[in-house]
Amino acid sequence: MIPVADDNPTRILPIVTWTLLAACIGAFFWQLGLDQRAHAAVIHGLGFIPAVFFGEARLHPDMAMVPAWATLFTSMFLHGGWMHLISNMLYLWVFANNVEDAMGHLRFVVFYLLCGVVAALVHGAPASGSEIPMIGASGAISGVLGAYLMLHPFSRITVVIPLGFILYPARLPAGLVLIVWFGLQLISSAGVDPDEPGVAFLAHIGGFLAGAVLILLFKYRRVRLFQGRTR
């Protein structure tokens, strides 16, 4: 299922959501302008490498662009290709504005970054010796999905379901869409070696659970959990 829209209006302009979208897209076009060697240096210098973060390896001085702890944040704005970028930005566009609306701009910045940090640590802890860079906004966006599930499980999400060569549109409850998504992450993570390149499913799981918990602390008091359909 590919989400393309939801039916939830917002009270405030999602300025932070738009800024995050612009930052990730801008960073990606910057990556496209690099030659192969420079691009590899950026991925290693700004990506989250568990072995470097946990002190089990060191980057070559030519690649060490920021302190190891800072890659928890810089890695969130890099992407590995067009599909990686588009899928992440689509989920951010559909779900983040309502989460930002529930807590305000400044709190949402902290919430988003904190979810991304938790996601990276959950990914890196079981493979602390891995020297494979992790990049992408998936972990932080997974936190947004976890928060959305806690806030608006009964809202309707417009999705596109690929059936062979046909794209079948449907409107489904957000709870169903997000629980299915989370279940797929759990199933996919079972067969993945964290020391091998690939999708960081553990980061998705960690970010999602972090978002589901942190929304309790970050939302405005007046905002209710498990809200009903808006229309």
Side-chain angles (χ1 to χ4, degrees):
M1 291 183 289
I2 305 170
V4 294
D6 73 344
D7 64 3
N8 264 337
T10 58
R11 291 178 295 272
I12 62 175
L13 288 176
I15 296 171
V16 175
T17 298
W18 295 344
T19 301
L20 291 170
L21 282 161
C24 289
I25 294 170
F28 183 72
F29 278 98
W30 169 63
Q31 289 177 247
L32 290 179
L34 301 173
D35 61 37
Q36 187 173 0
R37 182 174 180 179
H39 186 265
V42 165
I43 298 301
H44 284 80
L46 299 180
F48 174 74
I49 302 176
V52 175
F53 179 81
F54 289 107
E56 298 187 22
R58 296 184 64 181
L59 280 177
H60 189 279
D62 291 341
M63 288 188 172
M65 299 181 179
V66 296
W69 63 264
T71 62
L72 289 168
F73 303 98
T74 57
S75 61
M76 298 183 206
F77 297 93
L78 303 177
H79 288 84
W82 280 105
M83 290 308 299
H84 190 201
L85 175 74
I86 291 170
S87 62
N88 276 349
M89 296 304 98
L90 184 57
Y91 275 87
L92 186 64
W93 174 261
V94 172
F95 295 102
N97 59 339
N98 290 109
V99 178
E100 182 177 352
D101 191 59
M103 62 181 66
H105 307 308
L106 294 179
R107 289 186 187 184
F108 182 64
V109 172
V110 177
F111 169 85
Y112 181 89
L113 294 176
L114 189 54
C115 287
V117 167
V118 171
L121 294 177
V122 170
H123 163 77
S128 60
S130 173
E131 298 186 23
I132 300 170
M134 184 190 78
I135 59 173
S138 305
I141 295 171
S142 297
V144 170
L145 302 187
Y148 194 101
L149 177 63
M150 296 293 286
L151 291 168
H152 305 289
F154 306 110
S155 295
R156 294 285 169 169
I157 305 296
T158 301
V159 302
V160 174
I161 304 173
L163 297 174
F165 294 103
I166 300 174
L167 297 177
Y168 180 77
R171 294 182 75 243
L172 302 174
L176 175 62
V177 173
L178 295 174
I179 289 172
V180 168
W181 179 89
F182 185 68
L184 290 174
Q185 308 311 303
L186 287 174
I187 293 170
S188 300
S189 68
V192 170
D193 183 347
D195 289 314
E196 294 294 327
V199 178
F201 291 109
L202 284 179
H204 299 176
I205 294 168
F208 187 92
L209 294 176
V213 172
L214 290 173
I215 187 61
L216 303 176
L217 302 175
F218 280 83
K219 72 177 184 65
Y220 292 130
R221 289 186 180 182
R222 59 175 167 77
V223 173
R224 296 180 294 106
L225 298 177
F226 309 114
Q227 296 175 36
R229 289 182 61 181
T230 58
R231 62 178 102 161

